[in-house]
Amino acid sequence: MSKQQSFDKPQSAGFIILLTIILIGLNLRPSLASIGPLLGSIQADIQLSFSAASLLTTLPVLTMGLAIFSGFSLAKRLGEARLLTYSIILLSAATAARYWVDSTLILTITAFLAGVGIALIQALMPALIKANFPTKVPVLMGFYITAIMGGAAIAAAGSPYVENISTNWRLGLACWSLLGIVALVLWKINHKHFHFHSVRGKQTAPINYWTKHRAWTLALFFGLGTAAYTCVLAWLSPYAIEFGYSQKDAGWLLSFLTTLEVVSGLICPIIAARRKDRRPVIMTLCVMMVIGFAGLAYAPEQGLWLWSGFLGLAIGGIFPMSLIVTMDHHSNPVSAGKLAAFVQGIGYIIAAFSPWIAGMIRDVMTSFANAWLLLTVCSVLSLMLAMLFHPHRHLEPEESEARLAPSAA
């Protein structure tokens, strides 16, 4: 079967694949996004400091960074379909287990297990998207990332309501396992429609991304953007509560930000798909991120909603764009997926420390303002890195294509 033939699917099958990808994506952030709006209730019950509470975001993100490197190795042994099945089950089970949490240790363990499940899914999904939609990667990555941020928005707004109705913050954290069950059922029914660009064969000669400067540049850019995302996810709601917001209103503020992330995550890839040079879109988003964090640091009373709006649009676009510009470097789905796994792995390790550092700053200085200022500096650095992503200076394209040539025969 030729490469072109392998992608000739009926339109209905393409819709089923897209719907399944979206539903899986919805599950990848509720375990993180549900913590911030309920942090006050959690701290009152199990006595968490801000530094300790930051581990509930730091640990899963760090786990995502470390575990994502194992994704393709495990896929070689188990197969992509089976590994995705196990990963969805693990994530759903870890989320559901939060209903029985009675200590900081148990809550931390669930965060770790959820991080492993998320990492393995995120390791495989970019390659899966490129294998099934090779000519529409930017748009489909936009849908996928939009689903991820949509899950965060739903959890941020919904968790306080579930707590209010049930008078139980544990249910506010655990209820999102239902999303995982729905995703698992849909995946098991529809996975036969997916094209798997098998990682068991030898389609490509291995490329050592650890020695590639461009790979590290991409990873640092992804890491800084994700650091902004995870820090806002962890601390925007507590910051708003310090200014007199109720837990419900703080949850709505975070949901507003994540909703704008969804909008930006969908629109920016569509705009960027019109030209090979992604830099104008990426650099505009970086400038907006600088404005948002500077506003939170220096003028919070003048408009938390305004600065959150800037950050939502900026972060929501940077997240998918950082993966899209990464995927631009290879035409082969497995090679592109492995580079994306490297970039995400290093990036999540970098990003994992941002909520912890911000929590320490809050404990020592009794304010998040200096944390937002630090993220402003990181946003300026992201802008400088974005200038390097010229499409004609990609990661040794001639060498990569030469290595891919034998497998195409």
Side-chain angles (χ1 to χ4, degrees), residues 229-374:
Y229 175 77
T230 55
C231 217
V232 166
L233 205 62
W235 298 126
L236 180 63
S237 290
Y239 188 55
I241 290 171
E242 290 182 354
F243 282 91
Y245 283 56
S246 66
Q247 285 196 165
K248 184 186 296 183
D249 290 339
W252 272 114
L253 179 64
L254 182 58
S255 181
F256 167 70
L257 181 145
T258 51
T259 299
L260 289 183
E261 287 178 345
V262 169
V263 174
S264 184
L266 189 61
I267 293 175
C268 288
I270 294 174
I271 296 173
R274 298 175 181 175
R275 54 189 300 176
K276 291 184 178 180
D277 192 348
R278 320 290 192 190
R279 290 178 299 170
V281 174
I282 296 175
M283 292 169 65
T284 300
L285 294 169
C286 290
V287 171
M288 294 176 67
M289 192 160 63
V290 171
I291 294 171
F293 280 125
L296 285 183
Y298 291 113
E301 297 90 346
Q302 280 65 44
L304 283 180
W305 288 85
L306 175 63
W307 310 130
S308 297
F310 272 103
L311 289 173
L313 293 173
I315 296 171
I318 285 175
F319 194 9
M321 290 307 302
S322 60
L323 286 177
I324 289 168
V325 78
T326 296
M327 301 287 281
D328 284 343
H329 285 72
H330 290 298
S331 60
N332 179 275
V334 172
S335 296
K338 288 181 178 179
L339 176 58
F342 175 85
V343 167
Q344 290 180 90
I346 297 297
Y348 280 124
I349 291 172
I350 293 171
F353 293 98
S354 67
W356 177 67
I357 292 171
M360 289 185 62
I361 291 174
R362 170 60 180 79
D363 281 337
V364 173
M365 300 183 178
T366 67
S367 172
F368 286 109
N370 288 295
W372 304 133
L373 183 59
L374 179 59

Side-chain angles (χ1 to χ4, degrees), residues 82-390:
R82 186 178 298 175
L83 180 58
L84 271 170
T85 299
Y86 293 161
S87 300
I88 296 170
I89 292 173
L90 177 61
L91 175 56
S92 302
T95 304
R98 289 178 165 180
Y99 185 76
W100 293 278
V101 163
D102 60 2
S103 68
T104 302
L105 177 61
I106 300 301
L107 190 57
T108 304
I109 291 173
T110 65
F112 167 77
L113 294 176
V116 173
I118 294 169
L120 296 176
I121 293 170
Q122 291 188 165
L124 298 179
M125 199 59 72
L128 203 59
I129 289 172
K130 188 142 190 165
N132 286 274
F133 302 96
T135 63
K136 300 179 181 178
V137 171
V139 175
L140 268 295
M141 287 297 293
F143 277 111
Y144 166 60
I145 299 299
T146 296
I148 292 178
M149 294 181 293
I154 294 169
S159 294
Y161 277 94
V162 174
E163 183 201 23
N164 288 340
I165 293 171
S166 64
T167 65
N168 185 350
W169 61 263
R170 292 172 177 83
L171 185 60
L173 299 181
C175 65
W176 306 110
S177 61
L178 296 176
L179 269 178
I181 294 172
V182 175
L184 179 63
V185 171
L186 191 64
W187 168 251
K188 291 300 291 181
I189 293 173
N190 296 322
H191 75 272
K192 61 181 177 294
H193 295 290
F194 282 74
H195 172 76
F196 296 96
H197 198 293
S198 178
V199 298
R200 296 186 179 187
K202 296 182 178 180
Q203 288 86 3
T204 63
I207 299 175
N208 184 7
Y209 293 116
W210 295 92
T211 64
K212 302 295 183 181
H213 293 297
R214 176 50 70 97
W216 280 98
T217 302
L218 291 164
L220 179 58
F221 181 78
F222 180 85
L224 292 174
T226 307
Y229 175 77
T230 55
C231 217
V232 166
L233 205 62
W235 298 126
L236 180 63
S237 290
Y239 188 55
I241 290 171
E242 290 182 354
F243 282 91
Y245 283 56
S246 66
Q247 285 196 165
K248 184 186 296 183
D249 290 339
W252 272 114
L253 179 64
L254 182 58
S255 181
F256 167 70
L257 181 145
T258 51
T259 299
L260 289 183
E261 287 178 345
V262 169
V263 174
S264 184
L266 189 61
I267 293 175
C268 288
I270 294 174
I271 296 173
R274 298 175 181 175
R275 54 189 300 176
K276 291 184 178 180
D277 192 348
R278 320 290 192 190
R279 290 178 299 170
V281 174
I282 296 175
M283 292 169 65
T284 300
L285 294 169
C286 290
V287 171
M288 294 176 67
M289 192 160 63
V290 171
I291 294 171
F293 280 125
L296 285 183
Y298 291 113
E301 297 90 346
Q302 280 65 44
L304 283 180
W305 288 85
L306 175 63
W307 310 130
S308 297
F310 272 103
L311 289 173
L313 293 173
I315 296 171
I318 285 175
F319 194 9
M321 290 307 302
S322 60
L323 286 177
I324 289 168
V325 78
T326 296
M327 301 287 281
D328 284 343
H329 285 72
H330 290 298
S331 60
N332 179 275
V334 172
S335 296
K338 288 181 178 179
L339 176 58
F342 175 85
V343 167
Q344 290 180 90
I346 297 297
Y348 280 124
I349 291 172
I350 293 171
F353 293 98
S354 67
W356 177 67
I357 292 171
M360 289 185 62
I361 291 174
R362 170 60 180 79
D363 281 337
V364 173
M365 300 183 178
T366 67
S367 172
F368 286 109
N370 288 295
W372 304 133
L373 183 59
L374 179 59
L375 285 167
T376 304
V377 175
C378 292
S379 300
V380 173
L381 179 57
S382 295
L383 177 61
M384 297 171 64
L385 291 173
M387 297 177 184
L388 303 177
F389 297 144
H390 193 289

